Amino acid sequence: MLDQIDPGVRGLVEQSIADGVYHQTRQGAAAMLCNDMDEATAASTLDRLADDSSALLSEAVNLSGYRREIPRTYVHLTRDQCYVEELQQRSIALLRPDVIDLDTGHMAMISAPEKLAAVLNAIHG
């Protein structure tokens, strides 16, 4: 994943990795994950921020399974600052899914749970 991150922020992400741990600063997480949240929701989200394994960013991903013809739906988060538009469009091109736009940032499950639930219910009815 690291090689797919916007070059403008890749260096900051790389600096956040040490001893196999990915540590995102509160300020960085706020900018990337909470841009569509009110202040109270963002604070609550950031209070639960936890370090993660750097492997999620550095291990190779095998995409050979995407060649199988199975129905796919991509929930396009139109205000995502973490997985920016260019990267989302690359994913959409790779997957060739049905696309549903959702006017949220990266953490739609927190900032707009009802909207996300409606999308998921519409997909799986």
Side-chain angles (χ1 to χ4, degrees), residues 75 77 102 104 107-110 112-121:
V75 180
L77 306 175
L102 191 58
T104 70
M107 302 296 287
M109 69 290 287
I110 295 173
E114 296 86 7
K115 288 181 182 179
L116 181 58
V119 166
L120 297 175
N121 285 330

Side-chain angles (χ1 to χ4, degrees), residues 1-3 5-18 21-24 28 32 54 56-58 82:
M1 291 293 297
L2 192 57
D3 64 336
I5 294 174
D6 183 324
V9 295
R10 186 179 306 142
L12 295 172
V13 173
E14 289 172 328
Q15 291 172 15
S16 299
I17 297 172
V21 175
Y22 172 50
H23 171 77
Q24 194 170 31
M32 290 198 310
S54 64
L56 76 102
L57 297 169
S58 61
C82 184

Side-chain angles (χ1 to χ4, degrees), residues 19-36:
D19 299 322
V21 175
Y22 172 50
H23 171 77
Q24 194 170 31
T25 66
R26 190 173 178 94
Q27 181 180 7
M32 290 198 310
L33 304 176
C34 303
N35 63 299
D36 66 329

Side-chain angles (χ1 to χ4, degrees), residues 52-92:
D52 210 334
S53 169
S54 64
L56 76 102
L57 297 169
S58 61
E59 285 189 3
V61 176
N62 179 345
L63 299 177
S64 62
Y66 285 125
R67 293 187 188 110
R68 293 180 43 209
E69 291 300 320
I70 58 171
R72 296 182 178 94
T73 301
Y74 187 97
V75 180
H76 175 229
L77 306 175
T78 61
R79 290 193 278 160
D80 195 336
Q81 295 298 307
C82 184
Y83 199 60
V84 296
E85 186 63 26
E86 178 185 348
L87 297 178
Q88 289 192 70
Q89 291 304 320
R90 277 198 253 165
S91 292
I92 290 167

